Amino acid sequence: MTPIRPELDAAAVAALAAEIDGLVIKPPDDAYGDARRVWNGMIDRYPALIVTCRSAADVAAAVRFARANGLDIAVRGGGHNVAGFGTCDSGLVIDLSGLRDVVVDQETSTATVGGGNTWGTFDTAAAEVGLHTTGGLVSTTGVGGFTLGGGLGWLMRRYGLACDNLLAAEVVTATGELVRASETDDPELLWALRGGGGNFGVVTSMTFRVYPVSTIVGGLMLFPIERAREVLGAFRALCARASDDLTAMATIHTAPPAPFVPAQLQGRLAIAIAGCHIGQAEAADAELAAIRDLGPAADVFAPMPYTALQSMLDATAPAGQRHYWKSGYTQSLDPGFVDALLESGSRMPAPFGQLHLHQMGGAVARVPDSASAFGHRDAAFTLNIIGAWTDPTEDESGVAWARASFSRLEPWLDGAYVNFMGAEGEGRLSAAYDDTTLERLKAVKGRLDPENVLRLNQNVAPKPSGGQPWRA
């Protein structure tokens, strides 16, 4: 049912539209139906206004308008937020899709990008000069939200998480003020932005450290699920001795009807080892030999442009698909964990559900805890439970599978990866951040947004200060 929208003064809305370079979209505008939709098809909300911004000044004006009119504020970057925080009912959506500038500076090895970029737009621009940083595994993922939640990607074991490479950011605060976070300008805010989520302001620009990356060895090797224990054993051994040049992932999923998949495996449950090696091809082949020697049913590891690997999984995450995710970290792949993982795989919603087991370590583990809000850096693996389907009548069963899988695997899990959390409430944040980090994050929030105006996120409530009111 469409929610009751607040009555907004038409003259005030017209004044906002005249003040900004972007667009103000409202019902019943023709563009409203498409503009209100987000990537996760389970999220169906009706904001009172959608402001598509083209500058930080537009964002500031939208924030001030929302506050003056008592509207909730949702912030949409690339739009892949599984919890649906990029939209809201009866509030104002700040859509950053018009902030798409990408400037790569070869002399300083940095890239500055607008808050509405996806990794596809970032990587396309960066590839022109052969410089990249750790990005998402799906190119349509937004740069901003991905980075603010940590950012696991193919380059992380050599170069760290996306948030580890964040050098500076421009942020519009809850009062509509534009501030800068860097090691010299508010380093505490920069610390919070490195993994603390989209909780402290609207990030309109981000500057990253970038590295020379061009041709890599990437792809996957595919096996029937019946060989999963053998494959996971080899994966565990590979991860234990891998160089930092290799970042690998084990996935359980339904084999697609792709040309490289043998006909007898298409549509069946399978296990794959996917990865990225940024060293020489000979070194990559030597490290991957332990998996290749098992005799995969399909092997598409090969030298390729980094951008090709970055878009390899795009088809698994189309806009409009319905999603519910859970996550956690684990230190080992012992037999009990593997049994529980395979049991969850056997019950997975076909053909879109997936289980991802990311190799951690390397540069990720060497970043000091004090350098970022991202926690659990000592984990050996990150498990992402990806419930995905297309039929709305399967919502209940899809969510139930993800929750049951998490319960089954929880004895071996610790913590939570912020980017794979749904709308689970403040209690779940204690799994993502330890007590010391949470207190620090609350202090930053209390300084910048004491009233918790920007609360449609994985919300760390502000630490009350000076008697100012705040909302949980």
Side-chain angles (χ1 to χ4, degrees):
M1 183 174 65
T2 304
I4 298 173
R5 299 188 187 92
E7 289 292 332
L8 296 176
D9 182 76
V13 174
L16 173 64
E19 180 183 359
I20 68 172
D21 293 327
L23 300 174
V24 175
I25 301 171
K26 60 188 184 304
D29 294 351
D30 290 343
Y32 180 80
D34 288 336
R36 75 174 187 86
R37 293 190 179 93
V38 292
W39 173 77
N40 185 354
M42 285 189 73
I43 309 300
D44 186 24
R45 294 178 184 149
Y46 292 82
L49 289 180
I50 302 167
V51 182
T52 59
C53 299
R54 292 179 180 156
S55 67
D58 284 1
V59 173
V63 169
R64 291 192 296 267
F65 180 91
R67 295 200 66 168
N69 290 275
L71 300 176
D72 285 340
I73 299 172
V75 181
R76 183 188 305 163
H80 264 224
N81 183 272
V82 70
F85 292 137
T87 188
C88 59
D89 281 327
S90 304
L92 185 147
V93 171
I94 294 176
D95 181 351
L96 301 178
S97 60
L99 280 69
R100 288 288 186 94
D101 288 347
V102 180
V103 178
V104 183
D105 188 326
Q106 291 178 271
E107 290 189 8
T108 61
S109 295
T110 61
T112 299
V113 305
N117 274 285
T118 64
W119 284 106
T121 59
F122 185 164
D123 288 335
T124 297
E128 293 181 5
V129 293
L131 294 170
H132 290 282
T133 198
T134 304
L137 303 186
V138 172
S139 72
T140 52
T141 302
V143 173
F146 177 86
T147 300
L148 297 176
L152 278 63
W154 293 124
L155 303 180
M156 65 180 175
R157 283 177 41 80
R158 171 56 69 190
Y159 297 126
L161 303 169
C163 72
D164 298 333
N165 292 292
L166 180 65
L167 300 176
E170 291 188 349
V171 182
V172 174
T173 69
T175 59
E177 178 187 4
L178 181 62
V179 301
R180 180 174 172 82
S182 71
E183 294 290 357
T184 54
D185 303 292
D186 203 338
E188 189 69 358
L189 175 56
L190 179 65
W191 169 86
L193 296 176
R194 289 172 169 167
N199 195 49
F200 309 99
V202 185
V203 179
T204 57
S205 176
M206 311 179 89
T207 298
F208 292 91
R209 184 183 295 109
V210 291
Y211 307 90
V213 177
S214 181
T215 299
I216 54 89
V217 175
L220 61 81
M221 300 183 206
L222 190 67
F223 300 82
I225 195 65
E226 291 79 10
R227 300 190 64 189
R229 286 182 174 80
E230 177 187 12
V231 172
L232 287 172
F235 174 68
R236 179 176 59 239
L238 171 67
C239 292
R241 62 175 182 269
S243 72
D244 290 356
D245 284 343
L246 176 66
T247 300
M249 175 175 70
T251 75
I252 295 175
H253 61 281
T254 301
F260 72 89
V261 179
Q264 65 271 21
L265 194 52
Q266 293 180 13
R268 293 185 53 211
L269 199 61
I271 184 167
I273 304 300
C276 173
H277 196 291
I278 64 172
Q280 296 296 316
E282 296 80 5
D285 288 343
E287 292 207 67
L288 294 168
I291 307 298
R292 186 166 280 134
D293 288 349
L294 297 178
D299 180 354
V300 291
F301 264 101
M304 64 178 69
Y306 172 72
T307 51
L309 181 65
Q310 279 290 83
S311 59
M312 181 180 73
L313 300 178
D314 284 6
T316 68
Q321 200 172 61
R322 306 173 82 81
H323 287 266
Y324 185 86
W325 302 346
K326 302 286 281 186
S327 77
Y329 302 99
T330 188
Q331 294 294 353
S332 66
L333 306 184
D334 69 28
F337 175 87
V338 171
D339 287 346
L341 187 72
L342 296 182
E343 175 67 17
S344 294
S346 70
R347 301 171 183 268
M348 182 186 298
F352 303 113
Q354 301 174 60
L355 293 165
H356 288 181
L357 197 59
H358 297 264
Q359 177 193 15
M360 301 292 284
V364 176
R366 291 193 291 271
V367 174
D369 289 341
S370 61
S372 75
F374 188 88
H376 302 280
R377 288 185 178 273
D378 61 342
F381 303 96
T382 299
L383 173 68
N384 290 331
I385 299 167
I386 303 173
W389 57 96
T390 58
D391 186 345
T393 65
E394 297 175 3
D395 285 355
E396 184 176 347
S397 61
V399 171
W401 171 78
R403 289 175 173 171
S405 296
F406 180 77
S407 296
R408 187 178 295 115
L409 289 154
E410 192 172 13
W412 294 273
L413 299 178
D414 180 35
Y417 177 34
V418 170
N419 283 345
F420 271 70
M421 288 172 57
E424 301 175 50
E426 186 178 357
R428 183 70 177 140
L429 284 177
S430 61
Y433 306 112
D434 62 29
D435 291 344
T436 300
T437 300
L438 266 177
E439 285 303 304
R440 234 177 126 176
L441 291 172
K442 288 178 180 180
V444 176
K445 179 72 168 178
R447 173 166 61 88
L448 293 171
D449 185 11
E451 297 179 74
N452 208 10
V453 171
L454 300 170
R455 63 186 181 277
L456 298 183
N457 44 55
Q458 297 296 353
N459 193 240
V460 177
K463 187 174 184 178
S465 176
Q468 293 171 299
W470 59 280
R471 294 178 286 180

